[in-house]
């Protein structure tokens, strides 16, 4: 299935009443740090603490009744896991989630609390695709991929529909829209929605240093992979490479990728808490980090950053708050 603005609109209709319209936040203190107006789309306030609730609901709700009744399976470091588990629980169907054993404990615990069966694997040596495929075949489950799935991308694209209207209400019609990027489901979905609704807003993917496969792929004009599979605090957006569906969309619609350090992500988390009173996880903060600390890479009087998730453990959040004094 090709992802189109019409599919995103259809997903928005199915999501109505089941996901939150998240706010577009601002602070003069963040503007001062960035040297331009900064608007933050707070998807960390979404159900399950992440935009992934959108894609999970879009995908599960799009299944035919028979397939949905058999149940679903997904693989995820935690945010997609919770999104799919929440949707499956709401429809009263089984869910199996394959998760890396080094995923933050709150994400594993929350996924189980939502009623899903969790299967753990070693991120560095295991093959989540193979594990998921084997379980899916054995139990007759439908695989809901974390990003390379048309309905998941459509669900994530509803962030872009909201953002287009909210930016227009703020008088912003020309800006870079920075999006935390793993496999590219959110990035591609938002880019498609904005192409249709607000073409003056251009999406740019933001990634952590060492896991910048999308930035390198966009520069090379072809999909390239990360050498490492683990080793970053930004666990929510660690993927081997952009998706086969998402990359062509990003290559057509997105500007150059932005890469931030772990320290910058932690400082962005501290700034978001201090000035917006929102809690972000490292992967969910990379777009804000790029907006605040990579200002020369952008043009214009405004920048929009998607704060994609807030499912962070206490130790990591304390680590971020310790950086508070390092941000102007």
């Amino acid at each position: 299935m090709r992802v189109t603005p019409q599919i995103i609109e259809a997903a928005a209709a199915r999501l109505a009443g089941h996901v939150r319209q998240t706010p577009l936040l601002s602070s003069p203190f963040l503007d001062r740090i960035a040297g331009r107006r900064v608007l933050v789309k707070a998807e960390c306030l979404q159900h399950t603490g992440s935009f992934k609730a959108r894609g999970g609901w879009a995908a599960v709700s799009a299944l035919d009744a028979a397939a949905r009744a058999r149940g679903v399976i997904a693989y995820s470091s935690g945010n997609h896991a919770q999104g799919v588990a929440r949707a499956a629980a709401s429809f009263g169907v089984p869910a199996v989630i394959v998760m890396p054993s080094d995923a933050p404990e709150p994400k594993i615990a929350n996924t189980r609390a939502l009623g899903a069966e969790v299967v753990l694997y070693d991120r560095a040596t295991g093959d989540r695709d193979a594990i998921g495929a084997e379980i899916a075949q054995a139990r007759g489950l439908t695989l809901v991929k974390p990003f390379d799935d048309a309905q998941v991308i459509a669900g994530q694209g509803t962030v872009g529909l909201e953002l287009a209207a909210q930016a227009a209400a703020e008088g912003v019609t020309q800006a870079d829209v920075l999006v935390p990027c793993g496999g590219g489901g959110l990035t591609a979905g938002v880019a498609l929605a904005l192409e249709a609704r607000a073409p003056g807003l251009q999406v740019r993917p933001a990634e952590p240093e060492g896991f910048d496969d999308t930035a390198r792929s966009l520069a090379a004009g072809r999909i390239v992979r990360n050498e490492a599979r683990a080793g970053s605090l930004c666990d929510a957006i660690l993927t081997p490479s952009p998706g086969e569906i998402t990359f062509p969309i990003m290559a057509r619609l997105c500007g150059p990728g932005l890469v931030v350090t772990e320290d910058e992500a932690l400082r962005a988390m501290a700034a978001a808490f201090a000035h917006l009173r929102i809690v972000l996880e490292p992967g969910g903060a990379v777009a804000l980090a790029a907006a605040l600390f990579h200002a020369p890479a952008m043009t214009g009087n405004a920048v929009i950053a998607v704060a994609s998730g807030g499912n962070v453990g206490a130790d990591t959040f304390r680590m971020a708050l310790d950086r508070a004094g390092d941000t102007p």
Side-chain angles (χ1 to χ4, degrees):
M1 179 186 295
R2 193 168 71 91
V3 190
T4 64
Q6 291 74 28
I7 293 175
I8 297 174
E9 296 281 359
R14 296 197 308 279
L15 267 60
H18 301 291
V19 300
R20 296 174 178 142
Q21 177 171 313
T22 54
L24 193 62
L25 305 177
S26 62
S27 162
F29 299 100
L30 297 183
D31 296 351
R32 185 180 65 192
I33 296 168
R36 57 170 54 86
R37 190 178 184 192
V38 177
L39 298 171
V40 179
K41 178 66 167 163
E43 279 295 295
C44 53
L45 301 178
Q46 187 55 260
H47 290 297
T48 73
S50 160
F51 75 96
K52 292 284 192 176
R54 298 175 185 264
W57 191 279
V60 174
S61 65
L63 293 173
D64 66 66
R68 191 163 56 230
R70 288 192 296 271
V72 295
I73 185 169
Y75 39 76
S76 164
S77 67
N79 288 336
H80 179 60
Q82 293 174 75
V84 171
R86 174 179 177 266
S90 297
F91 281 99
V93 301
V96 177
I97 311 295
V98 181
M99 301 183 69
S101 55
D102 64 346
E105 182 55 38
K107 294 183 178 181
I108 297 174
N110 289 346
T111 303
R112 286 179 171 142
L114 287 165
E117 175 189 345
V118 174
V119 176
L120 299 177
Y121 75 100
D122 187 312
R123 191 198 301 260
T125 60
D127 184 340
R128 67 182 189 178
D129 298 82
I131 295 168
E134 181 179 353
I135 296 173
Q137 182 174 17
R139 304 193 195 181
L141 306 176
T142 297
L143 174 63
V144 180
K145 295 182 179 180
F147 51 85
D148 232 13
D149 178 293
Q151 292 294 353
V152 168
I153 296 168
Q156 320 306 25
T158 62
V159 174
L161 297 182
E162 291 179 16
L163 188 53
Q166 291 169 320
E170 293 286 342
V172 177
T173 58
Q174 301 283 331
D176 284 332
V177 177
L178 313 186
V179 181
C181 187
L186 177 62
T187 308
V190 171
L192 284 167
L194 293 180
E195 179 189 31
R197 291 283 191 92
L201 304 181
Q202 184 180 44
V203 169
R204 298 184 63 183
E207 297 170 289
E209 190 175 55
F211 297 88
D212 56 341
D213 46 291
T214 296
R216 290 184 290 112
S217 295
L218 291 174
R222 58 180 177 81
I223 292 177
V224 297
R225 300 177 64 87
N226 289 320
E227 293 183 5
R229 292 191 180 184
S232 171
L233 290 174
C234 302
D235 66 282
I237 54 173
L238 302 188
T239 55
S241 65
E244 296 290 339
I245 299 175
T246 60
F247 179 68
I249 298 170
M250 294 189 290
R252 182 172 69 85
L253 296 177
C254 292
L258 297 157
V259 183
V260 305
T261 66
E262 275 191 3
D263 185 68
E264 288 169 337
L266 291 168
R267 289 164 60 202
M269 291 168 63
F273 182 71
H275 304 306
L276 300 176
R277 290 302 181 210
I278 59 173
V279 174
L280 301 183
E281 60 190 287
V286 295
L288 180 57
L292 296 180
F293 309 125
H294 292 256
M298 282 154 276
T299 60
N301 297 321
V303 61
I304 300 171
V306 176
S308 58
N311 292 313
V312 61
D315 289 344
T316 302
F317 193 58
R318 278 192 289 267
M319 191 187 308
L321 295 183
D322 286 342
R323 264 60 169 195
D326 298 335
T327 301

